[in-house]
Amino acid sequence: MTDPEPERMQPGHWLLIGLITLLVVGVAAVTVLRRDQDPDVRAAGVTIAPTASSPASPVCVPEVAETGQSQREGLVSFGIVLTSDCPQATVAGLLNVVAIGADGTVLKGDQAEAGILLPAVLPGQRVGLGGMLLVGFDASVKSIRASFSDTQNMPVSAFSSWPAVHVTDIKHRGPDSSGHTQVTGVLVTEPNTAKLCNPRYFLLLRNTAGALIYGVETYKEKPFFDERLPTGIDWSKTEISVVMGVPGLSPVSPARVTCQ
């Protein structure tokens, strides 16, 4: 006798076998994924391949080297000095400034905080800034606090066309009958024919003990200030700082920030 001929597989049988194969492969893939995500499995020595979105290097920002303020009728005038030891330029910076009350807490209010846009701070640069906060007549301000946000670094070579600049021959006159004092300075650039990239000027004042007590920005096209100033100023310690660059929030292009 001969064995009967084996039964031929019907098309439906082949489809069923294919579905079972796909199911087995899927279960295996899910098992591997869960092992990769399981902290206990990772701790046991399973190696996980690094992803393309690895953390970026931290942004280097200038240091807030000095702050000071004076208060008159609910208005706080503050001065800030920044210094930079960063190897690259810090650009598109936003310096957030808040007032600290006598109890050590941040004073609240829409105008009790301010933001100063810093287009660029170069390596080794020292920058003076100033502004105003409105805290209310009954508030007592102990200090101010400044911190950076929305900042990025950029190669200093992007600013190679910028001239060296400073303000000298600072003079004052007043106060006049309205209580305003005029402060002026002479802008010096190297080379002296250089055109500045969107300059802004900040006046910083100190008392006889050398502490910062005032800072303000002028909206003039040159170092000229016409303000109601606090008393007790040591005029020999007066300085006017120049900030250059086109303001903008991060990220920015080198051409925009450097006026190219």
Side-chain angles (χ1 to χ4, degrees):
M1 293 181 62
T2 59
D3 292 335
E5 183 179 355
E7 292 185 8
R8 294 181 178 275
M9 298 293 289
Q10 299 299 317
H13 294 165
W14 289 111
L15 177 61
L16 179 59
I17 292 173
L19 291 175
I20 292 174
T21 302
L22 291 175
L23 179 60
V24 171
V25 172
V27 170
V30 170
T31 302
V32 172
L33 179 61
R34 286 181 176 175
R35 285 175 60 85
D36 286 345
Q37 294 177 342
D38 191 338
D40 294 333
V41 172
R42 291 199 300 267
V46 177
T47 301
I48 301 175
T51 63
S53 58
S54 57
S57 300
V59 175
C60 183
V61 299
E63 178 184 356
V64 180
E66 190 178 1
T67 64
Q69 77 286 331
S70 57
Q71 184 175 355
R72 183 183 70 242
E73 299 176 349
L75 184 66
V76 176
S77 305
F78 64 83
I80 299 173
V81 173
L82 302 178
T83 58
S84 178
D85 292 328
C86 296
Q88 293 187 306
T90 302
V91 301
L94 177 61
L95 189 68
N96 304 293
V97 184
V98 296
I100 307 300
D103 60 355
T105 61
V106 177
L107 296 179
K108 304 298 183 181
D110 293 340
Q111 299 182 65
E113 57 183 273
I116 302 177
L117 289 173
L118 282 173
V121 180
L122 305 185
Q125 189 175 8
R126 180 180 181 276
V127 180
L129 305 168
M132 305 285 182
L133 300 174
L134 186 61
V135 297
F137 285 85
D138 56 345
S140 177
V141 177
K142 179 181 180 181
S143 62
I144 63 165
R145 182 183 300 162
S147 60
F148 275 94
S149 63
D150 297 325
T151 305
Q152 70 184 78
N153 292 137
M154 186 178 293
V156 70
S157 59
F159 303 87
S160 59
S161 63
W162 280 14
V165 58
H166 65 278
V167 178
T168 186
D169 196 23
I170 300 174
K171 298 179 180 179
H172 70 281
R173 181 180 62 189
D176 58 20
S177 58
S178 65
H180 283 229
T181 299
Q182 293 76 43
V183 182
T184 61
V186 176
L187 183 66
V188 178
T189 64
E190 299 176 10
N192 57 10
T193 57
K195 183 178 180 180
L196 302 188
C197 175
N198 192 42
R200 296 154 61 197
Y201 306 101
F202 291 87
L203 171 68
L204 270 70
L205 300 177
R206 300 175 183 274
N207 60 17
T208 54
L212 276 175
I213 58 172
Y214 185 88
V216 68
E217 178 182 1
T218 185
Y219 296 95
K220 305 291 185 180
E221 295 182 355
K222 58 184 180 179
F224 175 83
F225 301 84
D226 185 9
E227 306 288 338
R228 290 175 59 90
L229 303 180
T231 59
I233 299 170
D234 183 346
W235 288 103
S236 68
K237 296 182 175 67
T238 302
E239 59 184 297
I240 296 176
S241 179
V242 184
V243 173
M244 294 192 291
V246 179
L249 296 181
S250 181
V252 297
S253 68
R256 170 177 168 78
V257 74
T258 59
C259 299
Q260 299 297 320

